[in-house]
Amino acid sequence: MALPILNSSRYETRIPSTGKQIEFRPFLVKEEKILMVAMESKDSKLMMKALKDVLKACIYDDIDVDKLTSFDLEEIFLRLRSKSVGEKVQLNLGCSECGAKTPVELNLDNIGVTNMPEDRHVMLTDSIGVSFNYPSVDLVTELEVSGAKEMTPEQQVELTYKMIVSCIDNIFSDEEVWDAENQTEKELQEFMDGLNSQQFAKVTDFFGNLPALEHEVEYNCISCGANNSTELRGLSSFF
């Protein structure tokens, strides 16, 4: 006789970058073990792999988790953690005046990705622009691994360039659209090399203001009473 299934709850959330609704279940003890081992390792690459493995196990929809953006993964995991462990989490935040720690309770259901732009187009001239994809988790991880070693300023610029070129979706004018998948990497690089400094600044501004999981917290220090304001950014800030 088969043993009973104890957990069959299903919930919905959305993918921030696309708005698509997905269904998921809470993570179970077997997935929580994966997360705990990764957290104990203090290895960011291993932690990212654990997050992706848990999402793959818990999401019912047929989506490619590896192609999610980093902020997609972070918000979806926040929703997953809320339904699995509870929506409340307590942080100990430092005081800017005396340094004492103050316990602050957050409701994870009130936290999400901010700075979502209306579109992903960057106009370079009045009639020519570029549509970008947001960097995927895989691309960000690859670049972080590449950037972990000591790099010269020239190598850092080259790394940034690689990310920008990899994220081009298409180049468009008033009359025509050139899909990046139909162009060679060399052709895309040559296009970017042909930008002037003002045009390239528009592109770097787009990547410098990508959506992010962030939340501003205001609290009074339990030691000196000083009013504090702290911006939490990125998944690790909330645990």
Side-chain angles (χ1 to χ4, degrees), residues 38 73 83 89 115 148:
L73 185 144
K83 298 304 182 186
V89 61
N115 298 330

Side-chain angles (χ1 to χ4, degrees), residues 28-41 46-47 49-54 57:
L28 307 176
V29 170
K30 60 183 177 181
E31 286 108 20
E32 193 167 8
K33 287 179 181 177
I34 295 173
L35 294 170
M36 290 175 65
V37 169
M39 289 176 67
E40 287 295 323
S41 73
L46 186 59
M47 187 64 200
K49 182 181 183 304
L51 289 177
K52 290 195 295 182
D53 287 345
V54 170

Side-chain angles (χ1 to χ4, degrees), residues 3-229:
L3 293 174
I5 297 174
L6 299 179
N7 301 285
S8 58
S9 301
R10 296 169 79 116
Y11 300 93
E12 282 192 348
T13 190
R14 66 180 181 88
I15 301 176
S17 65
T18 64
K20 178 182 177 180
Q21 290 291 123
I22 57 172
E23 256 193 333
F24 68 93
R25 64 165 174 81
F27 59 71
L28 307 176
V29 170
K30 60 183 177 181
E31 286 108 20
E32 193 167 8
K33 287 179 181 177
I34 295 173
L35 294 170
M36 290 175 65
V37 169
M39 289 176 67
E40 287 295 323
S41 73
K42 307 296 184 183
D43 185 323
S44 59
K45 188 176 179 182
L46 186 59
M47 187 64 200
M48 183 60 71
K49 182 181 183 304
L51 289 177
K52 290 195 295 182
D53 287 345
V54 170
L55 260 61
K56 288 174 184 177
C58 296
I59 294 174
Y60 290 110
D61 299 74
D62 184 18
I63 64 169
D64 189 344
V65 171
D66 294 328
K67 299 305 179 185
L68 293 175
T69 69
S70 55
F71 60 85
D72 285 333
L73 185 144
E74 290 178 340
E75 182 171 304
I76 294 171
F77 181 77
L78 216 60
R79 303 286 87 82
L80 182 58
R81 194 271 184 195
S82 174
K83 298 304 182 186
S84 305
V85 182
E87 70 276 9
K88 302 291 179 64
V89 61
Q90 185 167 288
L91 305 179
N92 290 310
L93 302 178
C95 176
S96 58
E97 296 293 329
C98 70
K101 298 288 186 180
T102 296
V104 177
E105 186 177 81
L106 296 180
N107 187 326
L108 298 179
D109 288 342
N110 297 330
I111 297 167
V113 169
T114 62
N115 298 330
M116 286 298 298
E118 292 183 7
D119 59 53
R120 294 175 283 110
H121 306 325
V122 177
M123 294 305 300
L124 304 175
T125 70
D126 290 340
S127 59
I128 297 177
V130 183
S131 293
F132 289 102
N133 296 310
Y134 296 121
S136 68
V137 172
D138 270 7
L139 177 58
V140 171
T141 302
E142 178 189 340
L143 294 176
E144 285 178 346
V145 170
S146 300
K149 58 187 179 182
E150 202 72 28
M151 289 194 303
T152 65
E154 291 79 10
Q155 289 172 322
Q156 291 175 345
V157 170
E158 198 63 35
L159 197 63
T160 302
Y161 228 67
K162 180 181 178 182
M163 180 188 72
I164 291 172
V165 171
S166 298
C167 290
I168 295 175
D169 183 28
N170 63 63
I171 299 162
F172 61 90
S173 69
D174 290 339
E175 295 85 22
E176 196 169 352
V177 176
W178 297 268
D179 289 326
E181 62 183 15
N182 297 327
Q183 316 301 317
T184 65
E185 185 175 348
K186 181 181 179 182
E187 288 171 329
L188 295 173
Q189 287 176 340
E190 288 176 347
F191 175 82
M192 295 303 299
D193 285 341
L195 304 185
N196 61 37
S197 57
Q198 290 82 11
Q199 291 164 343
F200 190 66
K202 292 180 181 180
V203 173
T204 55
D205 185 60
F206 171 84
F207 283 94
N209 293 283
L210 290 173
L213 186 69
E214 57 187 10
H215 185 70
E216 189 168 334
V217 183
E218 293 188 359
Y219 56 97
N220 293 321
C221 176
I222 59 173
S223 179
C224 70
N227 181 259
N228 288 267
S229 179

